[in-house]
Amino acid sequence: AQSVTQLDSHVSVSEGTPVLLRCNYSSSYSPSLFWYVQHPNKGLQLLLKYTSAATLVKGINGFEAEFKKSETSFHLTKPSAHMSDAAEYFCVVTLNILTGGGNKLTFGTGTQLKVEL
Amino acid sequence: EPEVTQTPSHQVTQMGQEVILRCVPISNHLYFYWYRQILGQKVEFLVSFYNNEISEKSEIFDDQFSVERPDGSNFTLKIRSTKLEDSAMYFCASSARGTYGYTFGSGTRLTVV
């Protein structure tokens, strides 16, 4: 079984300040972890992905996330927020093994990021 | 960059009607998925499909739902008799192997009235 918990449903930051979106996971096996972003009325865009290589993962648009097994966390960060970062962010977990029929993704409940001037 | 294409982008249907949502996965991918997102809620897994059969389905995916890969390129989700609570954004996804190349389409917004 696998699950993710996004600790904050809403986060508000000022433009130019750091962003921290928190995610904790639970997985029976070694997990693969993702962060997706969804802008209003848009689809799901992959920001970054961890699959058991380097624990610090760099993604698009200046985002990065660090896999911490001891804390079962995969928090998303960005040094300086931009207005265009305002969106909903989903932490996602799946099993990091090849299954017979594909890999079901389990989504967190999402964090709405608001960026203010 | 290869894309997963979903049509239509928005569909309105009357309660009780059948709908078919269409997806064209990335051409060399082998695994296909449908997910659903009810407005304001999280994205939920519906079904995965591999080697021309369902490999896993969630409890949401009841007898009203079916999937098909009719011609080797399209991947469809059929809802036999729609209910108001089926109103949601439906996302198709495909992957090459495991999580490699896992790509979502832009979604179909289904509105049941």
Side-chain angles (χ1 to χ4, degrees):
Chain A
Q2 60 213 37
S3 66
V4 286
T5 301
Q6 291 185 246
L7 297 155
D8 306 296
S9 58
H10 293 82
V11 169
S12 185
V13 301
S14 299
E15 192 175 33
T17 64
V19 176
L20 169 65
L21 304 183
R22 297 183 293 166
C23 172
N24 286 92
Y25 71 90
S26 172
S27 179
S28 306
Y29 297 96
S30 176
S32 286
L33 292 154
F34 308 75
W35 276 97
Y36 280 87
V37 61
Q38 185 179 33
H39 287 91
N41 300 312
K42 300 288 186 186
L44 296 161
Q45 181 183 20
L46 179 66
L47 277 180
L48 48 79
K49 171 181 170 181
Y50 165 79
T51 55
S52 80
T55 56
L56 182 62
V57 182
K58 293 190 186 297
I60 62 171
N61 301 335
F63 285 94
E64 62 182 40
E66 186 171 8
F67 174 72
K68 291 188 176 179
K69 187 175 180 180
S70 60
E71 298 176 11
T72 60
S73 69
F74 190 58
H75 301 333
L76 181 71
T77 60
K78 183 173 179 177
S80 176
H82 191 272
M83 294 296 289
S84 60
D85 294 328
E88 183 134 32
Y89 291 78
F90 292 98
C91 183
V92 179
V93 66
T94 189
L95 299 177
N96 189 25
I97 56 174
L98 283 178
T99 64
N103 285 60
K104 171 181 84 172
L105 302 187
T106 299
F107 283 72
T109 49
T111 298
Q112 189 72 41
L113 176 65
K114 184 177 178 182
V115 183
E116 298 170 319
L117 285 170
Chain B
E1 188 168 329
E3 288 184 344
V4 174
T5 304
Q6 289 187 244
T7 54
S9 57
H10 192 181
Q11 179 152 3
V12 181
T13 189
Q14 291 205 322
M15 193 167 53
Q17 294 295 303
E18 174 185 285
V19 293
I20 298 176
L21 309 183
R22 301 180 192 281
C23 169
V24 179
I26 292 172
S27 61
N28 61 348
H29 282 186
L30 301 176
Y31 301 90
F32 313 107
Y33 313 86
W34 284 101
Y35 290 80
R36 176 181 86 174
Q37 184 183 30
I38 294 172
L39 187 65
Q41 298 185 23
K42 69 176 181 178
V43 179
E44 302 171 289
F45 169 79
L46 289 178
V47 65
S48 59
F49 191 87
Y50 169 70
N51 201 26
N52 281 319
E53 61 183 24
I54 290 173
S55 46
E56 186 175 359
K57 60 183 180 180
S58 72
E59 61 214 24
I60 303 167
F61 194 89
D62 61 21
D63 293 343
Q64 292 289 87
F65 292 89
S66 61
V67 289
E68 198 176 36
R69 192 157 156 78
D71 56 12
S73 62
N74 288 283
F75 179 52
T76 61
L77 174 70
K78 183 193 291 187
I79 309 175
R80 191 180 353 217
S81 177
T82 49
K83 303 190 266 289
L84 294 175
E85 54 264 38
D86 294 326
S87 295
M89 180 77 94
Y90 289 82
F91 292 105
C92 174
S94 68
S95 68
R97 189 174 73 105
T99 61
Y100 185 74
Y102 215 114
T103 304
F104 282 87
S106 54
T108 294
R109 181 168 297 285
L110 176 66
T111 303
V112 183
V113 297

Coordinates of all heavy atoms in Angstrom, one line a residue, chain B residues 7-56:
Chain B
T7 N -9.5 13.7 -26.5 CA -10.6 14.4 -27.1 C -12.0 13.8 -26.6 O -12.0 12.7 -26.2 CB -10.6 14.2 -28.6 OG1 -10.6 12.8 -28.9 CG2 -9.4 14.9 -29.2
P8 N -13.0 14.7 -26.5 CA -13.0 16.1 -26.6 C -12.3 16.8 -25.3 O -12.1 16.1 -24.3 CB -14.4 16.5 -26.7 CG -15.1 15.5 -25.9 CD -14.3 14.2 -26.1
S9 N -12.1 18.1 -25.4 CA -11.6 18.7 -24.2 C -12.7 18.9 -23.1 O -12.5 19.0 -21.9 CB -10.9 20.0 -24.5 OG -11.8 20.9 -25.2
H10 N -13.9 19.1 -23.7 CA -15.1 19.3 -22.8 C -16.3 18.6 -23.4 O -16.5 18.7 -24.6 CB -15.3 20.8 -22.6 CG -16.3 21.1 -21.5 ND1 -16.7 22.4 -21.2 CD2 -17.0 20.3 -20.6 CE1 -17.5 22.4 -20.2 NE2 -17.7 21.2 -19.8
Q11 N -17.0 17.8 -22.6 CA -18.2 17.2 -23.0 C -19.3 17.3 -22.0 O -19.1 17.1 -20.8 CB -17.9 15.7 -23.3 CG -19.1 14.9 -23.8 CD -18.8 13.7 -24.6 OE1 -17.7 13.4 -24.8 NE2 -19.8 13.1 -25.1
V12 N -20.5 17.7 -22.5 CA -21.7 17.9 -21.7 C -22.6 16.8 -22.1 O -22.9 16.6 -23.3 CB -22.3 19.2 -21.8 CG1 -23.5 19.3 -20.9 CG2 -21.3 20.3 -21.5
T13 N -23.2 16.0 -21.2 CA -24.1 15.0 -21.5 C -25.2 14.9 -20.5 O -25.1 15.4 -19.4 CB -23.4 13.6 -21.5 OG1 -24.2 12.6 -22.0 CG2 -22.9 13.2 -20.1
Q14 N -26.3 14.3 -20.9 CA -27.5 14.2 -20.0 C -27.3 13.0 -19.2 O -26.8 11.9 -19.6 CB -28.8 14.2 -20.8 CG -29.1 15.5 -21.5 CD -30.6 15.6 -21.8 OE1 -31.2 14.7 -22.1 NE2 -31.1 16.8 -21.6
M15 N -27.8 13.0 -18.0 CA -27.8 11.9 -17.1 C -28.4 10.7 -17.7 O -29.5 10.8 -18.4 CB -28.6 12.3 -15.8 CG -28.4 11.4 -14.6 SD -29.1 12.1 -13.1 CE -30.7 12.6 -13.6
G16 N -27.8 9.6 -17.6 CA -28.3 8.3 -18.2 C -27.8 8.0 -19.5 O -27.9 6.9 -20.0
Q17 N -27.1 9.0 -20.2 CA -26.6 8.8 -21.5 C -25.2 8.1 -21.4 O -24.5 8.2 -20.4 CB -26.4 10.1 -22.2 CG -27.7 10.8 -22.6 CD -28.6 10.0 -23.5 OE1 -28.1 9.7 -24.6 NE2 -29.8 9.6 -23.1
E18 N -24.8 7.4 -22.5 CA -23.5 6.9 -22.5 C -22.5 7.9 -23.1 O -22.9 8.7 -24.0 CB -23.6 5.7 -23.5 CG -22.2 5.0 -23.8 CD -22.3 3.9 -24.8 OE1 -22.8 2.8 -24.5 OE2 -21.9 4.1 -26.0
V19 N -21.3 7.9 -22.6 CA -20.2 8.7 -23.1 C -19.0 7.9 -23.3 O -18.7 6.9 -22.6 CB -19.9 9.9 -22.2 CG1 -21.0 10.9 -22.1 CG2 -19.4 9.4 -20.8
I20 N -18.3 8.3 -24.4 CA -17.0 7.7 -24.6 C -15.9 8.8 -24.7 O -16.0 9.7 -25.4 CB -17.0 6.9 -26.0 CG1 -18.0 5.8 -25.9 CG2 -15.6 6.4 -26.3 CD1 -18.1 5.0 -27.2
L21 N -14.9 8.7 -23.8 CA -13.8 9.6 -23.8 C -12.6 9.0 -24.5 O -12.3 7.8 -24.3 CB -13.4 9.9 -22.3 CG -14.6 10.4 -21.4 CD1 -14.1 10.7 -20.0 CD2 -15.4 11.5 -22.0
R22 N -12.0 9.7 -25.3 CA -11.0 9.2 -26.2 C -9.6 9.7 -25.9 O -9.4 10.9 -25.5 CB -11.3 9.5 -27.7 CG -12.6 8.9 -28.1 CD -13.0 9.2 -29.5 NE -14.4 8.9 -29.8 CZ -14.9 7.7 -30.0 NH1 -14.1 6.7 -30.0 NH2 -16.2 7.5 -30.2
C23 N -8.6 8.8 -26.1 CA -7.2 9.2 -25.8 C -6.3 8.5 -26.8 O -6.6 7.4 -27.3 CB -6.9 8.6 -24.4 SG -5.2 8.6 -23.9
V24 N -5.3 9.2 -27.3 CA -4.3 8.7 -28.1 C -3.0 8.7 -27.3 O -2.4 9.7 -27.1 CB -4.1 9.4 -29.4 CG1 -3.0 8.7 -30.3 CG2 -5.4 9.4 -30.2
P25 N -2.6 7.5 -26.8 CA -1.3 7.5 -26.0 C -0.1 7.7 -26.9 O -0.2 7.7 -28.1 CB -1.3 6.1 -25.4 CG -2.7 5.6 -25.6 CD -3.3 6.2 -26.8
I26 N 1.0 7.9 -26.2 CA 2.3 8.0 -27.0 C 2.5 6.6 -27.7 O 2.3 5.6 -27.1 CB 3.4 8.3 -26.0 CG1 3.2 9.8 -25.5 CG2 4.8 8.2 -26.7 CD1 4.1 10.3 -24.4
S27 N 3.0 6.7 -28.9 CA 2.9 5.6 -29.8 C 3.7 4.3 -29.3 O 3.3 3.2 -29.6 CB 3.4 6.0 -31.2 OG 4.8 6.4 -31.1
N28 N 4.8 4.4 -28.7 CA 5.6 3.3 -28.3 C 5.3 2.9 -26.8 O 6.1 2.0 -26.3 CB 7.1 3.4 -28.5 CG 7.7 4.6 -27.7 OD1 6.9 5.4 -27.1 ND2 9.0 4.7 -27.7
H29 N 4.4 3.5 -26.2 CA 4.1 3.1 -24.8 C 3.2 1.8 -24.7 O 2.5 1.5 -25.7 CB 3.3 4.3 -24.1 CG 4.2 5.4 -23.7 ND1 3.8 6.4 -23.0 CD2 5.6 5.6 -23.9 CE1 4.9 7.3 -22.8 NE2 5.9 6.7 -23.3
L30 N 3.3 1.1 -23.6 CA 2.7 -0.2 -23.5 C 1.6 -0.2 -22.4 O 0.8 -1.1 -22.3 CB 3.7 -1.2 -23.1 CG 4.9 -1.4 -24.2 CD1 5.9 -2.4 -23.7 CD2 4.3 -1.9 -25.5
Y31 N 1.7 0.8 -21.5 CA 0.8 0.8 -20.3 C -0.1 2.1 -20.4 O 0.4 3.2 -20.7 CB 1.6 0.9 -19.0 CG 2.5 -0.3 -18.9 CD1 3.8 -0.2 -19.4 CD2 2.1 -1.4 -18.3 CE1 4.7 -1.3 -19.3 CE2 3.0 -2.5 -18.1 CZ 4.3 -2.4 -18.6 OH 5.1 -3.5 -18.5
F32 N -1.4 1.9 -20.1 CA -2.3 3.0 -20.3 C -3.2 3.1 -19.1 O -3.5 2.1 -18.4 CB -3.2 2.7 -21.6 CG -2.4 2.3 -22.8 CD1 -2.4 1.0 -23.2 CD2 -1.6 3.2 -23.4 CE1 -1.6 0.6 -24.3 CE2 -0.8 2.8 -24.5 CZ -0.8 1.5 -24.9
Y33 N -3.6 4.3 -18.8 CA -4.3 4.6 -17.5 C -5.4 5.6 -17.7 O -5.3 6.5 -18.6 CB -3.3 5.1 -16.5 CG -2.0 4.4 -16.3 CD1 -0.9 4.7 -17.2 CD2 -1.8 3.4 -15.4 CE1 0.3 4.0 -17.1 CE2 -0.6 2.8 -15.3 CZ 0.5 3.1 -16.1 OH 1.7 2.4 -16.0
W34 N -6.4 5.5 -16.8 CA -7.4 6.6 -16.7 C -7.4 7.0 -15.2 O -7.4 6.2 -14.3 CB -8.8 6.2 -17.1 CG -8.9 6.1 -18.6 CD1 -8.9 5.0 -19.4 CD2 -9.2 7.3 -19.5 NE1 -9.1 5.4 -20.7 CE2 -9.3 6.7 -20.8 CE3 -9.3 8.6 -19.3 CZ2 -9.5 7.6 -21.9 CZ3 -9.6 9.4 -20.4 CH2 -9.7 8.9 -21.7
Y35 N -7.5 8.3 -15.0 CA -7.6 8.9 -13.7 C -8.8 9.9 -13.8 O -9.1 10.4 -14.8 CB -6.3 9.7 -13.3 CG -5.1 8.8 -13.0 CD1 -4.4 8.3 -14.1 CD2 -4.7 8.6 -11.7 CE1 -3.3 7.5 -13.8 CE2 -3.6 7.8 -11.5 CZ -2.9 7.2 -12.5 OH -1.8 6.5 -12.2
R36 N -9.3 10.2 -12.6 CA -10.4 11.2 -12.5 C -10.1 12.2 -11.4 O -9.6 11.9 -10.4 CB -11.7 10.4 -12.1 CG -12.9 11.2 -11.9 CD -14.1 10.3 -11.6 NE -14.1 10.1 -10.1 CZ -15.1 9.4 -9.5 NH1 -16.1 8.9 -10.3 NH2 -15.1 9.2 -8.2
Q37 N -10.6 13.4 -11.7 CA -10.5 14.5 -10.7 C -11.8 15.2 -10.6 O -12.1 16.0 -11.5 CB -9.3 15.5 -11.0 CG -9.1 16.5 -9.9 CD -8.0 17.5 -10.4 OE1 -7.8 17.8 -11.5 NE2 -7.3 18.1 -9.4
I38 N -12.5 14.9 -9.5 CA -13.8 15.7 -9.3 C -13.4 17.1 -8.8 O -12.3 17.3 -8.1 CB -14.6 15.0 -8.2 CG1 -15.1 13.7 -8.7 CG2 -15.8 15.9 -7.7 CD1 -15.8 12.8 -7.7
L39 N -14.1 18.1 -9.2 CA -13.8 19.5 -9.0 C -13.4 19.7 -7.5 O -14.2 19.4 -6.6 CB -14.9 20.4 -9.4 CG -14.7 21.9 -9.4 CD1 -13.6 22.2 -10.4 CD2 -16.0 22.6 -9.6
G40 N -12.2 20.3 -7.3 CA -11.8 20.6 -5.9 C -11.3 19.5 -5.1 O -10.9 19.6 -4.0
Q41 N -11.2 18.3 -5.8 CA -10.6 17.1 -5.1 C -9.4 16.6 -5.7 O -8.9 17.2 -6.7 CB -11.7 16.0 -5.0 CG -13.0 16.4 -4.3 CD -14.0 15.3 -4.2 OE1 -13.6 14.1 -4.3 NE2 -15.2 15.6 -4.0
K42 N -8.8 15.6 -5.1 CA -7.5 15.1 -5.6 C -7.7 14.2 -6.8 O -8.9 13.7 -7.1 CB -6.7 14.3 -4.6 CG -7.4 13.0 -4.1 CD -6.5 12.3 -3.1 CE -7.0 11.0 -2.7 NZ -6.1 10.3 -1.7
V43 N -6.7 13.9 -7.5 CA -6.7 13.0 -8.7 C -6.8 11.6 -8.2 O -6.0 11.2 -7.3 CB -5.5 13.2 -9.6 CG1 -5.5 12.3 -10.8 CG2 -5.4 14.7 -10.0
E44 N -7.7 10.8 -8.8 CA -7.9 9.4 -8.3 C -7.6 8.4 -9.5 O -8.1 8.7 -10.6 CB -9.3 9.2 -7.8 CG -9.7 10.1 -6.7 CD -11.2 10.0 -6.4 OE1 -12.0 10.4 -7.2 OE2 -11.5 9.4 -5.3
F45 N -7.0 7.4 -9.2 CA -6.7 6.3 -10.1 C -8.1 5.6 -10.4 O -8.8 5.3 -9.5 CB -5.7 5.3 -9.6 CG -5.6 4.0 -10.3 CD1 -4.8 4.0 -11.5 CD2 -6.1 2.9 -9.9 CE1 -4.7 2.8 -12.2 CE2 -6.0 1.7 -10.6 CZ -5.2 1.7 -11.7
L46 N -8.3 5.3 -11.7 CA -9.5 4.5 -12.1 C -9.0 3.1 -12.6 O -9.5 2.1 -12.0 CB -10.2 5.2 -13.3 CG -11.0 6.4 -13.0 CD1 -11.6 7.0 -14.2 CD2 -12.0 6.2 -11.9
V47 N -8.1 3.1 -13.5 CA -7.8 1.8 -14.2 C -6.5 1.8 -14.9 O -6.1 2.9 -15.4 CB -9.0 1.4 -15.2 CG1 -9.0 2.4 -16.3 CG2 -8.9 0.0 -15.7
S48 N -5.8 0.7 -14.9 CA -4.6 0.5 -15.8 C -4.9 -0.6 -16.8 O -5.6 -1.6 -16.5 CB -3.4 0.3 -15.0 OG -3.5 -0.9 -14.2
F49 N -4.2 -0.5 -17.9 CA -4.5 -1.4 -19.0 C -3.2 -1.8 -19.7 O -2.4 -1.0 -20.0 CB -5.4 -0.7 -20.0 CG -6.0 -1.5 -21.1 CD1 -7.2 -2.2 -20.9 CD2 -5.4 -1.6 -22.4 CE1 -7.8 -2.9 -21.9 CE2 -6.0 -2.3 -23.4 CZ -7.2 -3.0 -23.2
Y50 N -3.0 -3.1 -19.8 CA -1.7 -3.6 -20.4 C -2.0 -4.9 -21.2 O -2.8 -5.7 -20.7 CB -0.7 -3.8 -19.3 CG 0.6 -4.5 -19.8 CD1 1.5 -3.9 -20.7 CD2 0.8 -5.8 -19.4 CE1 2.6 -4.6 -21.1 CE2 2.0 -6.5 -19.9 CZ 2.8 -5.9 -20.7 OH 4.0 -6.5 -21.1
N51 N -1.4 -5.0 -22.3 CA -1.5 -6.2 -23.1 C -3.0 -6.6 -23.4 O -3.4 -7.8 -23.2 CB -0.8 -7.4 -22.3 CG -0.4 -8.5 -23.2 OD1 -0.3 -8.4 -24.5 ND2 -0.3 -9.7 -22.7
N52 N -3.7 -5.6 -23.7 CA -5.1 -5.7 -24.1 C -6.1 -6.2 -23.0 O -7.1 -6.8 -23.3 CB -5.3 -6.6 -25.3 CG -5.0 -5.9 -26.6 OD1 -5.3 -4.7 -26.7 ND2 -4.2 -6.5 -27.4
E53 N -5.7 -6.0 -21.7 CA -6.6 -6.3 -20.7 C -6.3 -5.4 -19.5 O -5.3 -4.8 -19.3 CB -6.5 -7.7 -20.2 CG -5.1 -8.1 -19.7 CD -5.1 -9.6 -19.4 OE1 -5.8 -10.4 -20.0 OE2 -4.2 -10.0 -18.6
I54 N -7.4 -5.3 -18.6 CA -7.2 -4.5 -17.4 C -6.3 -5.1 -16.5 O -6.4 -6.3 -16.2 CB -8.6 -4.3 -16.8 CG1 -9.5 -3.4 -17.6 CG2 -8.5 -3.7 -15.3 CD1 -10.9 -3.3 -17.1
S55 N -5.3 -4.4 -16.0 CA -4.3 -5.0 -15.0 C -4.7 -4.6 -13.6 O -4.4 -5.4 -12.7 CB -2.9 -4.6 -15.4 OG -2.8 -3.2 -15.6
E56 N -5.3 -3.5 -13.4 CA -5.7 -3.1 -12.1 C -6.8 -2.1 -12.2 O -6.9 -1.3 -13.1 CB -4.5 -2.4 -11.3 CG -4.8 -2.1 -9.8 CD -3.6 -1.6 -9.1 OE1 -2.5 -1.5 -9.6 OE2 -3.8 -1.3 -7.9

